[in-house]
Amino acid sequence: MLDWIAGNAQVLELGVALVTLFVWAGYLHIFLMSFLRQRTPVVLITTGASHDEQARCLITNMSFEPIYLLDVIADVRAGDERYSALVTERDELSFGDVTRPVERTNLGPLQGGAFLDIGSIAEVLHRVERRSGLKDALARAEELTLTAAFASGRASRIVAACRAYRVNRTADGSLSFVADRLMARQLRHGLGRWRVMQRLKTQLSEDLGRGVRPARLDIS
């Protein structure tokens, strides 16, 4: 046995080196996947505190790194009609209602593990009414979709997440909002992210056309 080992020492050394290489390659792959997973933005869109129109709309950053919220888009389906508006600004609040002007907007950075209350469902629907021409949103809405667009510190491209809520009405007129999925859908690539970018660029162009100095980040 010893003679065989001595006679095949070079082959054995090569085999041990290859096994060691594969082991280290496996460790490197696991480390890289863990690193990328930590740096991949993940956003939750949830409601809490109630199940009716007073439920608070919460955006939570489940990423390791901070993100910057660019805009929140609300899409409302009312029968065969669809309405859409940016609902980032909390213009239902006057400057006299807040201690700091920045409290009238949801724009800004969100640290890892932190959440942001963008308002109640009723407040979000009222913002859609003011900005899209929709009338009696609470009475007519059948579905509400929230899309949060944000930028991460490591990339110039935006990513987004969306979640839809179906509106249920009982015989006594009370409302409840039921999510269509357990988790928000992450729009990091492909057609979904491209559509969000186009909508934000359109809004930026409209702001410039009205002579408004945009507060949102310019995106390419």
Side-chain angles (χ1 to χ4, degrees):
M1 182 67 178
L2 294 177
D3 292 338
W4 182 87
I5 294 176
N8 296 275
Q10 292 184 342
V11 176
L12 291 175
E13 289 177 0
L14 178 60
V16 171
L18 289 175
V19 170
T20 303
L21 177 63
F22 283 123
V23 170
W24 280 108
Y27 278 123
L28 179 61
H29 176 75
I30 294 173
F31 174 79
L32 181 61
M33 291 298 99
S34 177
F35 177 75
L36 293 177
R37 190 178 300 112
Q38 286 185 347
R39 292 178 61 87
T40 299
V42 177
V43 170
L44 299 183
I45 300 175
T46 56
T47 56
S50 180
H51 296 289
D52 58 10
E53 66 273 15
Q54 297 306 318
R56 310 303 297 184
C57 300
L58 307 175
I59 297 176
T60 305
N61 178 18
M62 297 301 294
S63 313
F64 181 76
E65 296 182 341
I67 58 175
Y68 187 96
L69 181 66
L70 295 169
D71 257 318
V72 180
I73 305 170
D75 295 291
V76 178
R77 180 172 60 83
D80 295 331
E81 299 178 333
R82 293 182 179 272
Y83 300 85
S84 178
L86 298 179
V87 294
T88 320
E89 307 299 337
R90 307 187 65 175
D91 50 11
E92 69 272 5
L93 300 175
S94 67
F95 284 102
D97 296 329
V98 297
T99 57
R100 298 181 302 160
V102 73
E103 295 174 4
R104 296 185 70 241
T105 182
N106 291 308
L107 291 172
L110 192 60
Q111 298 299 319
F115 72 90
L116 175 67
D117 182 348
I118 66 170
S120 68
I121 288 180
E123 290 171 340
V124 169
L125 289 175
H126 289 325
R127 294 173 204 167
V128 177
E129 284 182 336
R130 289 192 293 272
R131 298 164 193 172
S132 70
L134 171 62
K135 304 298 183 183
D136 301 321
L138 279 174
R140 298 179 56 200
E142 298 178 8
E143 185 178 79
L144 169 66
T145 302
L146 296 176
T147 303
F150 51 93
S152 63
R154 65 184 181 88
S156 59
R157 298 189 305 172
I158 69 165
V159 287
C162 69
R163 199 179 188 195
Y165 291 86
R166 185 180 68 255
V167 184
N168 291 336
R169 291 181 170 81
T170 61
D172 62 1
S174 61
L175 303 178
S176 62
F177 293 80
V178 181
D180 67 338
R181 60 175 62 213
L182 182 62
M183 304 284 285
R185 184 159 61 99
Q186 307 297 309
L187 307 175
R188 302 188 188 100
H189 311 284
L191 184 59
R193 190 183 70 87
W194 181 84
R195 286 175 174 171
V196 173
M197 288 186 65
Q198 296 308 306
R199 296 178 73 173
L200 296 185
K201 287 182 177 180
T202 298
Q203 182 62 37
L204 183 64
S205 299
E206 292 176 356
D207 287 346
L208 292 173
R210 294 194 302 267
V212 177
R213 184 179 180 84
R216 303 174 184 86
L217 297 180
D218 189 8
I219 52 180
S220 57

